[in-house]
């Protein structure tokens, strides 16, 4: 029983180790969206909106102000006659006052509501702008991911080429021993093997650099053993339906203008409030008594500023102009995107036509290479000419692998231009 458990644990461990080094494109995108430093601004925008809305709401709370005044004036009002029962001749030249005032907003013309709506639309616009920046990150991940896939294909073709060269080296050595070839022929094959190994060294270094870039983008530890899973070809039935986050940004900008238009009304509406003043000073409300006294005043206040009406028409025209600019930017964005989609469509069509001939080219190159090897064995062809055919077959296989990765990469680029693939929303 203990042996069975041990075997099961070993199998599970081997499975975990084998699956740990495999990474998909969707996983890289999701990790990059979470790891990118700009992603933290989503929470900052939410907190900023919360604090600003809370501050705007507090505008309905009673407002308290404290003021004081000490003054001395060169002249003061005096009475030209004596008032029976009052010993003062006029107001004192030195005056003192400390006052506490409490005001309560009853109707502010919709100003607080307008401020809250503006805060919401501005925050939404900032969030949409952040979505645009974060969406561009997917393209960087795509480029690095497919770059690694392309290097992997080149490494695979490099390995196959070296295997063919090693097989030919064994044959050429046998031919040399039989007097059909010489040492120079063996050296020629060995040189090609060394060249192949140098290419593999360069490709491996490039792959390590690309993995480092992908690791920085995703925040995941990736090493040379990491295997990238080739994604499947996307469905292109809705390839030309554009749903980019830039369009949401333009809509948010238009909505922000509408809120500003509504806020113009709050600028020329009346404001009604209650107030209460309590003060202590000399003179008091009864200015005929030259002594410090406490007093209070309560009442209601109406203010109506008509100054905003002077610029109302121009303010509306400015908003209309900004709306036209936003619509122009949207049309320009759609125009450029459609141009890029047309370019991608042409590239995809060319690659698909090229791939139709790749297998036939490889088949023919393989026949030519086999014929060249047979001629070398018969002594009717030089080893150098045979190596040329071996290299040509390898290049044909590399071209097919390159076309396959390029086709996949441009399909996902087309998908990125339309935003028809599932996106990761932080």
């Amino acid at each position: 029983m203990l042996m069975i458990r041990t075997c099961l644990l070993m199998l599970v461990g081997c499975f975990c180790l084998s699956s740990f080094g495999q990474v998909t494109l969707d996983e890289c995108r999701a990790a990059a969206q979470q790891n990118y430093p700009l992603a933290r601004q989503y929470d900052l925008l939410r907190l900023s909106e919360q604090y600003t809305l809370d501050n705007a709401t507090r505008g309905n709370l009673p407002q308290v102000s404290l003021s004081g005044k000490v003054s001395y004036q060169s002249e003061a009002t005096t009475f030209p006659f004596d008032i029976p029962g009052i010993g003062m001749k006029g107001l004192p030249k030195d005056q003192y006052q400390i006052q506490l005032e409490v005001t309560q907003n009853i109707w502010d013309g919709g100003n607080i509501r307008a401020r809250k709506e503006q805060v919401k639309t501005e925050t939404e616009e900032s969030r949409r702008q952040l979505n645009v920046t974060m969406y561009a990150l997917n393209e960087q991940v795509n480029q690095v991911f497919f770059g690694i896939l392309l290097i992997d294909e080149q490494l695979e073709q490099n390995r196959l080429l070296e295997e063919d060269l090693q097989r030919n080296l064994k044959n050429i050595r046998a031919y040399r021993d039989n007097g059909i070839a010489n040492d120079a022929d063996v050296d020629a094959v060995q040189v090609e093997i060394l060249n192949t190994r140098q290419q593999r060294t360069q490709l491996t270094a490039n792959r390590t650099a690309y993995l480092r870039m992908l690791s920085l983008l995703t925040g995941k530890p990736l090493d040379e053993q990491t295997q990238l899973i080739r994604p499947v070809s996307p469905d292109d039935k809705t390839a030309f339906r554009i749903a980019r986050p830039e369009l949401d940004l333009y809509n948010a900008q238009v909505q922000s203008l509408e809120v500003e238009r509504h806020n113009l009304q709050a600028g020329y509406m009346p404001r009604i409030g209650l107030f209460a003043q309590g003060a202590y000073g000399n003179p008091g409300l009864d200015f005929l008594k030259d002594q410090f006294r406490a007093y209070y005043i309560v009442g209601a206040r109406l203010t109506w500023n008509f100054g905003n009406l002077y610029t109302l028409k121009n303010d509306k025209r400015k908003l209309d102009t900004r709306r036209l600019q936003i619509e122009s930017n949207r049309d320009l964005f759609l125009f450029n995107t459609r141009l890029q989609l047309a370019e991608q469509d042409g590239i995809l069509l060319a690659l698909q036509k090229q791939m139709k001939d790749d297998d036939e080219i490889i088949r023919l190159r393989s026949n030519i290479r086999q014929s060249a090897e047979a001629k070398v064995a018969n002594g009717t062809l030089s080893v150098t000419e045979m190596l040329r055919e071996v290299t040509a077959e390898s290049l044909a296989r590399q071209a097919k692998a390159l076309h396959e990765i390029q086709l996949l990469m441009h399909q996902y680029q087309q998908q990125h231009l339309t935003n028809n693939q599932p996106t990761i929303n932080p």
Side-chain angles (χ1 to χ4, degrees):
M1 189 67 180
L2 180 60
M3 184 177 297
I4 295 177
R5 290 181 179 178
T6 304
C7 293
L8 289 175
L9 290 176
M10 292 177 61
L11 289 175
V12 172
C14 292
F15 175 77
C16 293
L17 288 175
S18 62
S19 61
F20 176 79
Q22 294 183 344
V23 180
T24 64
L25 179 59
D26 289 338
E27 291 174 350
C28 290
R29 285 176 177 172
Q33 293 286 333
Q34 297 294 330
N35 178 67
Y36 200 53
L38 201 62
R40 293 192 291 268
Q41 291 195 16
Y42 284 102
D43 290 334
L44 298 179
L45 284 175
R46 179 180 55 81
L47 292 175
S48 178
E49 178 186 23
Q50 177 182 342
Y51 297 149
T52 308
L53 289 176
D54 187 54
N55 289 339
T57 304
R58 292 173 186 267
N60 289 319
L61 297 177
Q63 305 298 311
V64 181
S65 62
L66 178 66
S67 62
K69 182 181 71 174
V70 176
S71 66
Y72 181 86
Q73 55 197 56
S74 61
E75 291 183 344
T77 302
T78 59
F79 303 112
F81 50 85
D82 294 333
I83 301 177
I86 299 178
M88 64 179 299
K89 296 294 184 180
L91 297 179
K93 293 183 178 181
D94 56 327
Q95 299 182 9
Y96 310 88
Q97 183 190 59
I98 182 170
Q99 176 180 288
L100 180 68
E101 181 177 6
V102 179
T103 59
Q104 174 61 54
N105 176 47
I106 300 301
W107 168 248
D108 65 349
N111 184 59
I112 292 179
R113 179 184 59 83
R115 285 171 55 194
K116 293 170 67 175
E117 289 297 323
Q118 186 172 0
V119 169
K120 292 179 181 178
T121 55
E122 288 178 351
T123 303
E124 182 63 21
E125 184 178 343
S126 298
R127 186 179 293 110
R128 297 297 184 182
Q129 180 63 60
L130 188 57
N131 287 343
V132 171
T133 306
M134 295 296 292
Y135 183 75
L137 182 63
N138 288 336
E139 185 175 10
Q140 298 181 16
V141 175
N142 287 353
Q143 292 176 352
V144 177
F145 191 91
F146 285 108
I148 297 175
L149 287 180
L150 181 58
I151 293 176
D152 287 342
E153 288 295 334
Q154 291 175 328
L155 285 171
E156 176 63 18
Q157 297 305 319
N158 180 274
R159 183 187 64 82
L160 294 176
L161 175 59
E162 184 175 357
E163 288 181 356
D164 286 340
L165 291 174
Q166 291 288 356
R167 177 177 54 80
N168 279 282
L169 177 62
K170 182 179 179 180
N171 293 335
I172 297 301
R173 283 174 175 172
Y175 300 156
R176 181 192 59 184
D177 296 339
N178 294 328
I180 301 176
N182 53 39
D183 291 338
D185 295 331
V186 175
D187 293 341
V189 178
Q190 289 179 333
V191 167
E192 291 299 324
I193 292 175
L194 292 176
N195 288 334
T196 303
R197 291 176 180 176
Q198 285 183 341
Q199 293 175 2
R200 182 166 63 250
T201 301
Q202 183 62 49
L203 290 172
T204 303
N206 292 341
R207 188 178 190 275
T208 301
Y210 271 71
L211 280 173
R212 176 60 178 166
M213 294 170 59
L214 189 61
S215 177
L216 291 174
L217 285 172
T218 61
K220 288 186 174 184
L222 305 176
D223 53 23
E224 288 75 8
Q225 283 71 39
T226 302
Q227 297 297 322
L228 273 59
I229 299 178
R230 181 186 296 191
V232 297
S233 298
D235 184 10
D236 59 351
K237 292 181 180 180
T238 58
F240 289 94
R241 184 178 61 85
I242 302 175
R244 291 278 293 275
E246 286 86 349
L247 299 179
D248 294 333
L249 174 60
Y250 295 134
N251 293 335
Q253 290 174 346
V254 172
Q255 183 62 31
S256 180
L257 291 182
E258 292 300 320
V259 172
E260 289 188 42
R261 185 181 298 275
H262 294 158
N263 290 353
L264 293 177
Q265 181 180 358
Y268 58 81
M269 296 297 290
R271 288 162 172 75
I272 303 174
L274 302 177
F275 71 91
Q277 297 176 352
Y280 180 78
N282 182 22
L285 294 180
D286 187 355
F287 63 89
L288 296 179
K289 294 182 179 181
D290 186 9
Q291 59 181 336
F292 284 88
R293 298 177 62 85
Y295 61 90
Y296 69 91
I297 302 175
V298 296
R301 181 181 290 128
L302 170 66
T303 58
W304 202 337
N305 184 6
F306 297 98
N308 291 334
L309 292 174
Y310 302 146
T311 61
L312 180 61
K313 183 178 293 185
N314 286 335
D315 290 337
K316 290 183 177 180
R317 289 174 177 173
K318 287 169 59 178
L319 292 178
D320 291 337
T321 301
R322 289 170 56 187
R323 184 187 183 97
L324 291 176
Q325 290 175 342
I326 294 173
E327 292 176 353
S328 176
N329 291 336
R330 179 196 286 119
D331 293 340
L332 178 61
F333 169 76
L334 290 173
F335 179 79
N336 290 332
T337 302
R338 292 189 179 103
L339 281 180
Q340 291 176 312
L341 286 172
E343 180 183 6
Q344 290 296 320
D345 187 60
I347 294 175
L348 290 174
L349 184 61
L351 286 173
Q352 290 170 351
K353 289 182 177 179
Q354 290 175 347
M355 292 178 63
K356 290 181 180 180
D357 298 328
D358 282 338
D359 290 333
E360 181 64 15
I361 292 175
I362 292 174
R363 186 185 69 81
L364 295 175
R365 283 294 180 186
S366 179
N367 292 339
I368 295 173
R369 187 258 307 165
Q370 293 175 5
S371 175
E373 290 176 350
K375 291 179 179 179
V376 170
N378 296 328
T380 59
L381 187 70
S382 67
V383 173
T384 302
E385 292 174 330
M386 181 203 68
L387 291 176
R388 188 182 301 117
E389 301 302 333
V390 171
T391 303
E393 180 189 6
S394 176
L395 291 176
R397 296 183 184 276
Q398 291 182 28
K400 178 185 177 181
L402 176 63
H403 292 159
E404 290 176 350
I405 299 299
Q406 284 181 334
L407 179 66
L408 197 59
M409 181 177 64
H410 285 289
Q411 286 175 336
Y412 274 85
Q413 177 63 19
Q414 186 182 62
Q415 200 177 62
H416 176 81
L417 290 173
T418 58
N419 191 28
N420 284 319
Q421 75 271 19
T423 55
I424 308 299
N425 294 322

